[in-house]
Structure formats: structure tokens, C-alpha cells
Amino acid sequence: MKIFMDTANVEEISRFVDWGVVYGVTTNPSLVAKSGRTQAEVIPEIAKLVEGPVSAEVISTECAGMVEEARKLVQIADNIVVKIPCIPEGLKAVKILSAEGIKTNVTLVFSMSQALLAARAGATYVSPFIGRLDDIGENGVQLVENIVKAFKLYGITTEVIAASIRNLEHVEKVMLTGCQIATIPTKVLEQMIKHQLTDKGLAQFMADYQNSLKK
């Protein structure tokens, strides 16, 4: 399972790129706004930091507007993927963009039927949202697993990005679903490296080493 970062904070991305674990990045208008900068400012910088896909989302909700925005976005860098909402106008845009060789990430997916429609329209990626489904009492991880199974059953090559990840439990569960990618917020990535036994073991190793020097 490849790790994407779900953020538009360039400093955060740079820090985790140095770890060697970040394959790509996903952004959205909310994350860009949170960064305090504009999409035009941050997307080029992010695209230079990572070699893998960088998702930049359109603002328009009409097909023509989405297509126009998408064509401009992909001029930024070769690794730009255009993020399109899973709505009828979005599917129309995905069909057009796919025919032009422009990669798309269909976002705000909350059902298997939406995922199937997005894939058949030509989406490169679909992003089912785990946390937001959990919020309304549904099982977001189960949806990811079901989409993965269905795509495999029908030979669909669209990749599944597990999105709206809220905690370590989400990460560990989606690892077992077979989804190709998880896009993970910074706070959860920071938690992934930590374990009390690692800290305890390292402290013991260092203490034993220091004691050995006294002999």
C-alpha cells in the first residue's frame, strides 16, 4: 500500500519526504485554505517535492469549467492529477479528460455504485472517504474493501485511494483491504512511527552501551 500525504502544507510534506515514505500527495480546497496560501502557490512547490502523483482539485461544478481548470492544472507539472467531485458533471468531465490522457482522482466517493461509475467514466483513481462514513454510522473501511474486491472481480484498473483517514486504526485496517493507496494526514503519519516499546528499547540499548564504556 502506497502512502500519500493528505495536506497542502509544504513544510510538512518536505519533512516526511525526507523519511522516504511519501509516494504522492492529495490536496483539496479546504486543505489549501488551511495552509494560508493559494492553490497557485502551493501546488507547484508540492509537485517539485514528490515524484509521485499530486492531486489538485477543481473548483467548478460544471463540466466545461472543470475541463478548463484541469487543462490548466496539468500544465503545472507532469505529476499533477486532477481531482474531480463524484457528481454527474464530474463524470462527464472525467470522460473528456481521460480521452485526453489527463489523470483524474474522483473524490467524495461514499458508495460502491459511485466508485463503479467513476471507474467506468475513466477515473485513474477513486477516493472513498472512511471517516465521514464512520461519522454517520456506516463502515468506511468495509466500503474500501468492497470496492477493491469488486474492481478485482471485474478487472477494473482504477486504483483505490483510502481517504478521510482519522487514526491509526483506519490505517491498519485499510492495509488489509488490498487498496493500493492510503492518503494520510500529518498527525496520523506522526503516530505511525511511534511505539512505547521502541522508545523503551532504544533507551535500554543506549544505557547498556554507556555502561559498557565504564568497564
Side-chain angles (χ1 to χ4, degrees):
M1 184 178 76
K2 297 172 185 175
I3 295 174
F4 284 12
M5 284 191 73
D6 194 30
T7 181
N9 186 305
V10 174
E11 292 182 1
E12 292 177 355
I13 295 167
S14 180
R15 176 156 57 94
F16 283 93
V17 164
D18 287 343
W19 286 19
V21 300
V22 179
Y23 182 76
V25 173
T26 57
T27 69
N28 60 47
S30 297
L31 291 173
V32 171
K34 187 177 179 181
S35 75
R37 304 174 68 193
T38 67
Q39 182 164 263
E41 292 173 329
V42 299
I43 294 299
E45 293 183 22
I46 295 172
K48 289 179 181 178
L49 282 174
V50 298
E51 296 182 3
V54 175
S55 287
E57 189 162 346
V58 298
I59 303 301
S60 176
T61 56
E62 300 292 334
C63 175
M66 292 182 195
V67 170
E68 182 180 358
E69 288 182 53
R71 290 170 179 161
K72 292 178 181 177
L73 286 169
V74 296
Q75 297 303 312
I76 295 173
D78 292 338
N79 56 340
I80 296 297
V81 174
V82 181
K83 211 169 181 185
I84 305 282
C86 191
I87 58 177
E89 289 292 297
L91 296 186
K92 288 164 61 177
V94 168
K95 178 184 176 182
I96 294 170
L97 296 171
S98 176
E100 295 180 6
I102 294 175
K103 294 181 178 180
T104 56
N105 173 5
V106 175
T107 188
L108 295 172
V109 170
F110 294 99
S111 69
M112 290 183 67
S113 58
Q114 286 181 319
L116 177 61
L117 291 173
R120 291 310 189 195
T124 313
Y125 307 95
V126 294
S127 293
F129 278 37
I130 295 173
R132 295 194 193 186
L133 281 171
D134 289 356
D135 289 344
I136 62 171
E138 297 187 20
N139 190 328
V141 172
Q142 186 63 58
L143 173 64
V144 172
E145 183 175 354
N146 290 344
I147 293 171
V148 170
K149 288 180 179 177
F151 281 13
K152 187 175 294 185
L153 180 64
Y154 294 107
I156 295 172
T157 57
T158 300
E159 294 189 272
V160 180
I161 303 177
S164 187
I165 286 177
R166 303 274 180 79
N167 49 54
L168 280 177
E169 183 180 7
H170 279 161
V171 175
E172 293 172 357
K173 285 184 175 180
V174 297
M175 285 174 66
L176 300 176
T177 67
C179 71
Q180 293 89 350
I181 301 157
T183 187
I184 305 173
T186 304
K187 67 176 183 178
V188 178
L189 271 172
E190 290 171 338
Q191 294 167 4
M192 288 174 66
I193 193 65
K194 296 178 181 178
H195 196 286
Q196 60 180 344
L197 293 181
T198 302
D199 296 337
K200 184 177 180 180
L202 181 59
Q204 185 64 57
F205 291 159
M206 297 304 295
D208 290 344
Y209 172 72
Q210 291 299 325
N211 288 334
S212 72
L213 298 178
K214 301 174 183 179
K215 296 180 181 179

